[in-house]
Amino acid sequence: MARKSKGAPDAIQLLKKDHAEVTALFTRYEDAGDRDEKAEIASEICRKLTIHALCEEELLYPAAHESIDDDLVYQAEVEHQGAKDLIARIEDADPEAENFDAMVRVLGEYVRHHVKEEESEMFPQLKRSDLDLEALGLELAERRSELETALGSAADEDDEAEDDEDLDDDYDDDDDDDDEDFDDDVDVEIDDDAEGDRDRAA
């Protein structure tokens, strides 16, 4: 029987909560009609799944290898890799692309299948093991918080970089306009001087 540390969160409860949240996001994606809204939801799905996968791979799966059937854990790890490959494709894709919806739907199918296997096979075995699930839950919660901060900072930096590019483009456009105005002024002055010379010559 899995050991418990009084007052600590339970690892399985935390992971099930993650599963429920991301499943709800896939439902929201399917119900959304606006392309910008879908792109935003897809980005949130990828972020949550990345954090969830890293937490499981760094903490849950190593502990599970020592406590339950290895084959079950290896299968979960392979499924993670397939999902991560698709997440990377979605993150790099244009939300306007014709296959964007298809990629998100397939990712949803991957995740639902993975969740079903974890919750019906792996988690029951973990509960029957000697693993301290509540101590593991504390580690998972701490690591998730760290990853959320790190990924949030990375996303903010990407947004700032895009804003800087937009500012650079605006600055370049302004420079072009100023150059054109300067050229026009020079041309006018040259024309005026030429006319003055002709008048004096006459």
Side-chain angles (χ1 to χ4, degrees):
M1 181 68 71
R3 298 192 304 277
K4 293 185 177 181
S5 303
K6 186 176 180 180
D10 183 286
I12 291 176
Q13 290 175 344
L14 286 174
L15 295 173
K16 281 187 172 182
K17 184 174 181 290
D18 286 350
H19 292 167
E21 287 178 355
V22 78
T23 298
L25 282 173
F26 280 113
T27 300
R28 277 185 57 204
Y29 181 90
E30 291 296 334
D31 292 340
D34 180 76
R35 177 58 64 180
D36 290 339
E37 183 184 2
K38 282 195 165 188
E40 184 177 339
I41 296 170
S43 178
E44 182 66 7
I45 287 171
C46 292
R47 189 185 72 87
K48 282 186 175 294
L49 285 176
T50 297
I51 291 171
H52 178 82
L54 286 170
C55 285
E56 287 192 330
E57 290 165 8
E58 293 177 6
L59 298 169
L60 178 69
Y61 293 166
H65 272 299
E66 298 178 2
S67 306
I68 65 172
D69 180 8
D70 263 337
D71 288 341
L72 196 59
V73 185
Y74 286 132
Q75 183 176 330
E77 290 170 336
V78 171
E79 289 174 352
H80 265 211
Q81 188 56 56
K84 288 194 295 186
D85 291 344
L86 189 49
I87 287 169
R89 290 182 60 189
I90 291 170
E91 289 178 328
D92 290 339
D94 182 351
E96 299 290 338
E98 292 183 356
N99 67 338
F100 190 82
D101 278 345
M103 288 193 291
V104 176
R105 289 193 186 101
V106 171
L107 179 61
E109 292 171 4
Y110 279 5
V111 170
R112 290 184 182 96
H113 173 77
H114 179 72
V115 165
K116 182 179 179 180
E117 290 198 338
E118 276 195 344
E119 294 190 358
S120 65
E121 298 181 41
M122 181 183 292
F123 290 177
Q125 287 193 27
L126 288 172
K127 284 182 178 180
R128 293 192 296 268
S129 74
D130 291 331
L131 187 62
D132 188 337
L133 293 176
E134 292 188 349
L136 179 59
L138 283 173
E139 295 179 46
L140 287 168
E142 182 178 355
R143 183 58 177 144
R144 181 170 61 183
S145 179
E146 293 171 352
L147 290 169
E148 285 174 346
T149 299
L151 291 180
S153 298
D156 290 342
E157 288 174 3
D158 289 341
D159 290 341
E160 288 175 4
E162 290 178 4
D163 290 342
D164 288 343
E165 288 178 4
D166 291 339
L167 287 173
D168 289 341
D169 290 340
D170 291 341
Y171 180 77
D172 290 341
D173 290 341
D174 289 341
D175 281 350
D176 291 341
D177 291 340
D178 291 342
D179 290 343
E180 290 176 4
D181 292 340
F182 177 77
D183 290 341
D184 290 342
D185 292 341
V186 171
D187 290 341
V188 170
E189 291 175 1
I190 291 173
D191 290 343
D192 289 344
D193 290 343
E195 288 180 4
D197 292 342
R198 286 197 296 271
D199 291 342
R200 286 192 294 273

